[in-house]
Coordinates of all heavy atoms in Angstrom, one line a residue:
G1 N 58.7 131.3 170.9 CA 58.9 130.1 171.5 C 58.3 129.9 172.8 O 58.5 128.8 173.5
V2 N 57.7 130.9 173.6 CA 57.2 130.8 174.8 C 55.6 130.7 174.7 O 54.9 131.5 174.1 CB 57.4 132.0 175.6 CG1 56.7 131.9 177.0 CG2 58.9 132.2 175.9
G3 N 55.1 129.5 175.1 CA 53.7 129.1 175.1 C 53.0 129.7 176.2 O 53.3 129.3 177.4
I4 N 51.9 130.5 176.0 CA 51.1 131.0 177.1 C 49.8 130.3 177.3 O 49.1 130.0 176.3 CB 50.9 132.6 176.8 CG1 52.1 133.3 176.8 CG2 49.9 133.2 177.8 CD1 51.9 134.9 176.4
V5 N 49.5 130.0 178.5 CA 48.1 129.5 178.9 C 47.4 130.6 179.7 O 47.9 131.1 180.7 CB 48.2 128.2 179.7 CG1 46.8 127.8 180.1 CG2 48.9 127.2 178.9
T6 N 46.3 131.0 179.3 CA 45.4 132.0 180.0 C 44.0 131.7 179.7 O 43.7 131.2 178.6 CB 45.8 133.4 179.7 OG1 45.1 134.3 180.6 CG2 45.4 133.8 178.2
P7 N 43.0 131.9 180.6 CA 41.6 131.7 180.2 C 41.2 132.6 179.1 O 41.8 133.6 178.8 CB 40.9 132.0 181.5 CG 41.9 132.0 182.6 CD 43.2 132.4 181.9
N8 N 40.0 132.4 178.5 CA 39.4 133.1 177.5 C 38.6 134.3 178.0 O 37.6 134.1 178.9 CB 38.5 132.2 176.6 CG 38.2 132.9 175.3 OD1 37.8 134.0 175.2 ND2 38.2 132.0 174.2
P9 N 38.8 135.5 177.6 CA 38.1 136.7 178.2 C 36.7 136.7 177.8 O 35.8 137.3 178.4 CB 38.9 137.8 177.6 CG 39.5 137.4 176.3 CD 39.9 135.9 176.7
G10 N 36.3 135.8 176.8 CA 34.8 135.7 176.4 C 34.0 135.1 177.5 O 32.7 135.4 177.6
S11 N 34.5 134.2 178.4 CA 33.8 133.6 179.5 C 34.4 133.8 180.9 O 33.7 133.8 181.9 CB 33.8 132.1 179.2 OG 35.1 131.6 179.2
S12 N 35.7 134.1 181.0 CA 36.4 134.1 182.2 C 36.7 135.5 182.7 O 37.3 136.3 182.0 CB 37.6 133.2 182.0 OG 38.5 133.5 183.2
G13 N 36.4 135.8 184.0 CA 36.8 137.1 184.5 C 38.3 137.1 184.7 O 38.9 138.2 184.6
S14 N 38.9 136.0 185.2 CA 40.3 136.0 185.4 C 41.1 136.4 184.2 O 42.2 136.9 184.3 CB 40.7 134.7 186.1 OG 40.5 133.6 185.2
A15 N 40.6 135.9 183.0 CA 41.3 136.2 181.8 C 41.4 137.8 181.6 O 42.3 138.3 181.2 CB 40.5 135.6 180.6
R16 N 40.4 138.4 181.9 CA 40.3 140.0 181.7 C 41.3 140.6 182.7 O 42.0 141.6 182.3 CB 38.9 140.5 181.9 CG 37.9 139.9 180.8 CD 36.6 140.6 180.8 NE 35.7 140.0 179.7 CZ 34.7 140.6 179.2 NH1 34.3 141.8 179.8 NH2 34.0 140.0 178.3
W17 N 41.4 140.1 183.9 CA 42.4 140.6 184.8 C 43.8 140.4 184.2 O 44.7 141.3 184.2 CB 42.4 139.9 186.2 CG 41.1 140.2 187.1 CD1 40.1 139.4 187.3 CD2 40.9 141.5 187.7 NE1 39.2 140.1 188.1 CE2 39.7 141.4 188.4 CE3 41.5 142.7 187.7 CZ2 39.1 142.3 189.1 CZ3 41.0 143.7 188.6 CH2 39.7 143.6 189.2
N18 N 44.0 139.2 183.8 CA 45.4 138.9 183.1 C 45.7 139.7 182.0 O 46.8 140.2 181.9 CB 45.3 137.4 182.6 CG 45.2 136.3 183.7 OD1 45.2 136.7 185.0 ND2 44.8 135.1 183.4
I19 N 44.8 139.9 181.0 CA 45.1 140.8 179.9 C 45.3 142.2 180.2 O 46.2 142.9 179.7 CB 44.0 140.4 178.8 CG1 44.0 139.0 178.3 CG2 44.1 141.3 177.7 CD1 42.8 138.5 177.6
M20 N 44.5 142.7 181.2 CA 44.7 144.1 181.5 C 46.0 144.2 182.3 O 46.6 145.3 182.2 CB 43.5 144.6 182.4 CG 42.2 144.8 181.6 SD 42.4 145.8 180.2 CE 42.9 147.4 180.9
A21 N 46.5 143.2 183.0 CA 47.7 143.3 183.6 C 48.9 143.4 182.5 O 49.9 144.2 182.7 CB 48.0 142.2 184.5
A22 N 48.7 142.6 181.5 CA 49.7 142.6 180.3 C 49.7 144.0 179.7 O 50.7 144.6 179.4 CB 49.4 141.5 179.4
W23 N 48.5 144.4 179.4 CA 48.4 145.8 178.8 C 49.0 146.9 179.6 O 49.7 147.7 179.3 CB 46.9 146.1 178.6 CG 46.5 147.5 178.0 CD1 46.4 148.6 178.8 CD2 46.3 147.9 176.7 NE1 46.2 149.8 178.0 CE2 46.1 149.3 176.7 CE3 46.3 147.2 175.5 CZ2 45.8 150.0 175.5 CZ3 46.1 147.9 174.4 CH2 45.9 149.3 174.3
N24 N 48.7 146.8 181.0 CA 49.2 147.8 181.9 C 50.7 147.8 182.0 O 51.3 148.8 182.4 CB 48.6 147.6 183.3 CG 49.1 148.6 184.3 OD1 48.7 149.7 184.3 ND2 50.0 148.1 185.3
H25 N 51.3 146.6 181.7 CA 52.8 146.6 181.8 C 53.4 147.6 180.9 O 54.4 148.3 181.3 CB 53.3 145.2 181.4 CG 54.8 145.1 181.1 ND1 55.8 145.3 182.1 CD2 55.4 144.9 180.0 CE1 56.9 145.2 181.5 NE2 56.8 144.9 180.3
V26 N 52.9 147.7 179.7 CA 53.4 148.7 178.7 C 53.1 150.1 179.2 O 54.0 151.0 179.2 CB 52.9 148.5 177.3 CG1 53.4 149.5 176.4 CG2 53.3 147.0 176.9
I27 N 51.9 150.3 179.6 CA 51.5 151.7 180.0 C 52.2 152.1 181.2 O 52.6 153.3 181.3 CB 50.0 151.7 180.3 CG1 49.2 151.3 179.0 CG2 49.5 153.1 180.8 CD1 49.4 152.1 177.8

């Protein structure tokens, strides 16, 4: 039920930072 907005990593550098931060949370 939580809707996330983030840029698309196919075009956006900020998206890649965001997604790697999410990945890193688990690691």
Side-chain angles (χ1 to χ4, degrees):
V2 176
I4 293 173
V5 177
T6 188
N8 194 318
S11 60
S12 170
S14 61
R16 298 191 179 194
W17 290 110
N18 295 348
I19 292 162
M20 289 306 300
W23 175 276
N24 180 73
H25 166 66
V26 177
I27 302 301

